[in-house]
Amino acid sequence: MNEVYKQVCPGLYFVEYDDFDFDKAAEWANKRFFPEGPFCSAVRKGRYAGRNMDILSEFKAAVIMLMKSSCARFSSLNTSEISLFPAIQDAIESQERKDVYYKLPQMTYDGINEKGVTAISLMTSNGNASEDKSKWGGREWGKSAAFTKPDALKTYSTTLLVRYVLDNAANVDEAIELIKQVNWFDPDRFTWRNHAGALKWLISDPKKSAVVEFIDNEIKILLTDDVNRPSLRTLAANFSQYLMEKGIVQYDATGYERFDLMCDLYKNVDDSIDGIQSVLRSVMMSEKHKRNISDKYFFATEYMWDESPTGRHFNAEEIYQGNARHDPDFIKIVELEKERHYNKSLRPKNYRTHVTVYTTVYDMAEKKLWILLNEGVSDSKWYEFEFLNK
């Protein structure tokens, strides 16, 4: 029997598509979807772009998808994470093209197409919805507008943006123009600490890099052709790059520390696959509980607000500006958090552990993908994929 899902190693599968209908995918994604995350870091340097996929530790497996040109304008290599689809195990065992087979490409988190365009999605704070701090607190649950174009002929969930770009864009400029022609909305109950959340994107081609965000129902774009310098246009984490450039630190955002650490390391590595892999490895969240309170990269994740063992809550401004690290309660929180991270019996029922489950790196010149599984596998090594029809 010809395998539909080819196992590369435990926790990693490869699937080829020569039949996929984006419009039908949009019908499903536009009706109802419940994503939770992902928290992530992303880097663009020279000919390479890559990301850490940081999600809840219930990770089951990753899928590398080869979308052939018969599916869209351009063929692409891309990834998805299958813990969102409980039926996947039955599909793998039966090797049948069941419903889940056609849903996987809809949840494309990152990828590269045959023109060397890469698109990477990241989650950001619900405060991203507005520049007005008095309005921070999240969009309403439901189909909340991210960007409205009155004369647009198409309306899509933001979870489809990576798929849309990879299928249709030949470069960054074309990707931006395509995005501007669509009504985009945040999917039903796209949650970030029980509020509506938002996605953002790092989009690259061999010559340019751009961070795309939706704020106040407008598209905010940070674009550069200086792809060898660390900036808000070549690095991304879980906060609004646009607001950060204006000097605004979001109360409930995360990732500022990871961003600073990536900036520092970025300057000291060369433009090579090893260089970008080392930057991403440095901010893998599987290492977060091994850091010391005095380190630049400390424990600024969601438990600081939702799970504070001392009852104190520190917002991102306090933490990022460094004031919190000198507060005895903050130090106590960190020490307690480290303890209950390792001792599951101390965890509350709603305790959530986010870890880096995989890392992907794309070569925009050679049109290649490398993936490293970081959790639940014994042979942690980079696996390489490339277009079969080059």
Side-chain angles (χ1 to χ4, degrees), residues 25-265:
E27 288 179 13
W28 177 79
N30 285 359
K31 288 178 181 177
R32 194 166 183 81
F33 189 66
F34 299 88
E36 178 75 27
F39 301 75
C40 301
S41 305
V43 183
R44 161 65 190 277
K45 186 174 176 64
R47 61 193 275 186
Y48 301 104
R51 68 97 51 79
N52 286 334
M53 172 58 78
D54 306 331
I55 57 176
L56 294 175
S57 55
E58 289 84 0
F59 169 77
K60 290 182 175 60
V63 175
I64 303 297
M65 293 170 285
L66 171 63
M67 310 295 292
K68 296 182 179 179
S69 56
S70 56
C71 299
R73 181 184 177 196
F74 300 122
S75 59
S76 62
L77 278 168
N78 33 255
T79 66
S80 186
E81 190 277 310
I82 64 178
S83 64
L84 294 166
F85 303 106
I88 190 66
Q89 196 58 48
D90 290 340
I92 291 173
E93 290 176 2
S94 66
Q95 291 293 329
E96 295 177 2
R97 294 191 175 196
K98 295 184 177 180
D99 187 44
V100 68
Y101 171 85
Y102 292 100
K103 288 182 177 179
L104 277 171
Q106 301 169 51
M107 287 312 302
T108 299
Y109 292 121
D110 53 273
I112 184 171
N113 70 18
E114 64 182 87
K115 295 296 183 180
V117 175
T118 65
I120 296 171
S121 62
L122 304 95
M123 194 172 183
T124 188
S125 165
N126 60 79
N128 196 25
S130 177
E131 293 183 55
D132 182 354
K133 287 188 178 183
S134 67
K135 297 180 181 178
W136 285 10
R139 301 168 183 163
E140 295 295 326
W141 276 2
K143 291 184 177 180
S144 177
F147 171 70
T148 301
K149 180 178 174 58
D151 59 346
L153 299 177
K154 302 172 182 176
T155 298
Y156 296 144
S157 161
T158 53
T159 56
L160 289 165
L161 191 145
V162 171
R163 175 82 278 129
Y164 187 61
V165 167
L166 295 178
D167 286 355
N168 297 288
N171 52 55
V172 166
D173 292 336
E174 196 169 297
I176 291 170
E177 288 307 310
L178 285 166
I179 292 168
K180 288 180 178 178
Q181 301 307 311
V182 175
N183 283 314
W184 295 99
F185 67 89
D186 293 322
D188 189 23
R189 290 190 64 193
F190 187 11
T191 59
W192 173 286
R193 304 191 189 100
N194 297 320
H195 295 287
L199 284 175
K200 58 187 284 187
W201 299 269
L202 178 65
I203 301 175
S204 305
D205 65 25
K207 296 180 179 179
K208 293 183 179 180
S209 177
V211 169
V212 177
E213 300 177 349
F214 296 126
I215 297 177
D216 288 329
N217 205 15
E218 295 179 356
I219 297 179
K220 303 296 184 182
I221 299 165
L222 301 180
L223 179 67
T224 186
D225 57 6
D226 187 356
V227 295
N228 278 298
R229 184 175 66 85
S231 72
L232 292 166
R233 293 155 173 79
T234 55
L235 296 165
N238 305 119
F239 60 88
S240 167
Q241 318 280 111
Y242 173 79
L243 296 181
M244 183 62 175
E245 187 163 81
K246 299 186 70 171
I248 299 174
V249 176
Q250 295 170 272
Y251 292 135
D252 59 349
T254 63
Y256 295 102
E257 304 74 31
R258 279 179 281 137
F259 183 86
D260 279 354
L261 182 57
M262 287 191 293
C263 278
D264 290 343
L265 293 168

Side-chain angles (χ1 to χ4, degrees), residues 292-312:
N292 187 281
I293 186 64
S294 61
D295 290 343
K296 190 179 188 69
Y297 182 49
F298 50 92
F299 303 80
T301 52
E302 69 275 7
Y303 61 80
M304 289 297 183
W305 300 273
D306 294 349
E307 304 281 355
S308 172
T310 68
R312 284 280 303 278

Side-chain angles (χ1 to χ4, degrees), residues 47-49 64 77-78 111-114 116-118 273 360-371 383-387 390:
R47 61 193 275 186
Y48 301 104
I64 303 297
L77 278 168
N78 33 255
I112 184 171
N113 70 18
E114 64 182 87
V117 175
T118 65
I273 184 68
T360 49
V361 173
Y362 297 93
D363 183 335
M364 288 174 279
E366 295 294 326
K367 319 298 191 304
K368 291 183 179 180
L369 155 66
W370 287 269
I371 185 168
Y383 291 90
E384 180 181 338
F385 297 86
E386 59 183 326
F387 291 89
K390 287 202 318 179

Side-chain angles (χ1 to χ4, degrees), residues 347-361:
R347 297 178 182 178
K349 291 182 179 179
N350 61 343
Y351 184 89
R352 299 186 297 172
T353 301
H354 288 88
V355 293
T356 301
V357 294
Y358 65 77
T359 299
T360 49
V361 173

